Structure formats: structure tokens, C-alpha cells
Amino acid sequence: MKNLIFATNNEYKVSEATGILGRKFKVLSLADMNFSEELLEDAETLEGNALLKAAYIYDQFGLDCFADDTGLEVDALNGAPGVYSARYAGKSCDAEKNMQKLLNEMQKQTNRKACFRTVIVLIKNGKTHHFEGKIDGEIGTKPSGNQGFGYDPVFIPNGFNKSFAGLSPHQKNRISHRAIALKKMAGFLR
Ligand code: IMP
């Protein structure tokens, strides 16, 4: 089994990646590498942020690694919060405050279309590769479900009548934006 570092501290994402890459690769989180620094994510694009994180970790360890960055893009808000999804409600924000701000902004909107978009940057043998995944859906009128993380309680994927947070991790990980990007990377690595 080959080691592949996932430049994240989000254990949820690590288990999602392990489920997809697990047979051939041992996915190592930053905690597995005893790395506890906060990674800088201040670029203007998802691609830029994923590259910042992957390049920083590649410089630290010199081992093959990848990083992801995700944005929730809402049609009625001209693509916001997008690359600012993690810091939507300002400096001391958390998932709860971000979701609340989004629901407030969407209060009078009838067009509730949105998508999650993930960009993964893989650095393998010093070369950079990009993979993208996207899932379309709608913003609910209130949070529902208690699985997942981030904006999951307010995102209803097309073809489902439940939010991401109402699906089991197994169901979400079969269809999610990140799963689509991870599967593309897995295909490339194979
Ligand atoms: P990051 O890519 O982990 O930095 O995520 C950017 C923002 O999108 C954060 O606010 C995350 O909570 C949110 N986010 C990322 N992936 C997901 C997901 O799968 N579901 C819900 N929110 C997500």
C-alpha cells in the first residue's frame, strides 16, 4: 500500500477519501503526520486554495499529497458564498453562523438552485494535477438532518427529498462533490 497525505484536519473528509482510495492507498491525515499548524487558505479561487495547501504540505514532507477546497455556489447570490464559504459569516464564524447567514440572504429568494464544487490538487512526484467534482441541488428553507458537517443541513441534492445531513455518510459519499473529484483522482492514480 502506498502512502498518500491528505492535507486536511477534517476526519470526516479523511474517512470519505479512505472509502474511495482505501484499497491501494493508505490515506494519512495531517494528524497522522503529527502536523498541527493551521493551513493558509486565502486565495481567490478554489484551485488557488487547494494548491496553497497541497504545496505547503509537499514542501514540508516531500511526499505525494493532495488537498481539496470546496465552495457552495448559490445561483440567486451570484455564486456566493463560493470560495468564501468557510468564512461567510465573518471572522469568528462557525458552520451554524454561516448557515444562518445563508438562510437570511435566501429568505425572499424563489430561485434556490445551488451547487457544491470541489477542486482537488494532487502533487505526485513534484507534478501538480487538478480534479473537479460538482453536485447540483437546492438550498432548503430551514436546516434538517444531523449527519455530515458544514452546510449539509441546508443543501438538498437534486433527486433527493432530504438534505445532505439527512443522508447516511455512505449515501452522501456515493454522490458528493468531493467523492466525484476523489473518484477522478483515483482513476488517474490507477
Ligand atoms: P473546505 O474546503 O473544507 O475549506 O470547506 C469550505 C467550506 O465549505 C466550509 O465552510 C465547509 O464547512 C464547507 N464544506 C466543505 N465540504 C462540505 C460538505 O461536504 N458539506 C457541507 N459543507 C461543506
Side-chain angles (χ1 to χ4, degrees), residues 99 102-103 138-140 142-144 151-156 163:
M99 259 189 308
L102 178 66
L103 289 177
E138 295 205 336
I139 302 300
K142 55 180 181 350
S144 68
Y151 294 90
D152 278 350
V154 295
F155 182 81
I156 302 164
S163 73

Side-chain angles (χ1 to χ4, degrees), residues 30-49:
L30 293 180
D32 292 326
M33 303 303 292
N34 288 321
F35 182 92
S36 55
E37 274 176 49
E38 191 81 27
L39 293 179
L40 204 61
E41 300 186 57
D42 61 355
E44 296 291 313
T45 60
L46 298 178
E47 292 78 0
N49 275 339

Side-chain angles (χ1 to χ4, degrees), residues 2-172:
K2 285 190 185 143
N3 287 342
L4 191 58
I5 304 174
F6 189 176
T8 185
N9 282 313
N10 182 328
E11 288 306 321
Y12 182 99
K13 289 185 183 178
V14 175
S15 68
E16 193 176 5
T18 300
I20 291 169
L21 294 162
R23 278 195 213 131
K24 288 239 168 93
F25 292 90
K26 180 160 177 49
V27 179
L28 300 169
S29 69
L30 293 180
D32 292 326
M33 303 303 292
N34 288 321
F35 182 92
S36 55
E37 274 176 49
E38 191 81 27
L39 293 179
L40 204 61
E41 300 186 57
D42 61 355
E44 296 291 313
T45 60
L46 298 178
E47 292 78 0
N49 275 339
L51 178 62
L52 271 181
K53 294 188 271 189
Y56 191 77
I57 293 303
Y58 190 79
D59 280 351
Q60 293 285 317
F61 298 104
L63 298 171
D64 292 348
C65 70
F66 68 98
D68 76 316
D69 201 43
T70 295
L72 176 62
E73 300 175 344
V74 180
D75 280 16
L77 305 178
N78 298 318
V83 71
Y84 303 107
S85 295
R87 33 196 163 138
Y88 191 40
K91 257 191 174 172
S92 60
C93 64
D94 55 22
E96 203 59 46
K97 288 181 186 156
N98 286 339
M99 259 189 308
Q100 209 44 62
K101 175 165 180 190
L102 178 66
L103 289 177
N104 290 345
E105 299 283 334
M106 291 297 287
Q107 229 168 23
K108 295 204 175 90
Q109 299 290 352
T110 48
N111 173 8
R112 305 196 69 90
K113 284 186 191 148
C115 73
F116 268 117
R117 196 164 68 84
T118 289
V119 175
I120 289 179
V121 169
L122 166 72
I123 305 184
K124 187 167 162 42
N125 301 326
K127 276 198 180 156
T128 301
H129 309 270
H130 289 72
F131 307 93
E132 186 174 314
K134 179 173 170 284
I135 180 165
D136 292 312
E138 295 205 336
I139 302 300
T141 50
K142 55 180 181 350
S144 68
N146 51 17
Q147 305 281 328
F149 69 98
Y151 294 90
D152 278 350
V154 295
F155 182 81
I156 302 164
N158 284 351
F160 291 79
N161 55 11
K162 283 178 180 172
S163 73
F164 259 171
L167 302 180
S168 69
H170 177 73
Q171 282 175 310
K172 180 188 165 191

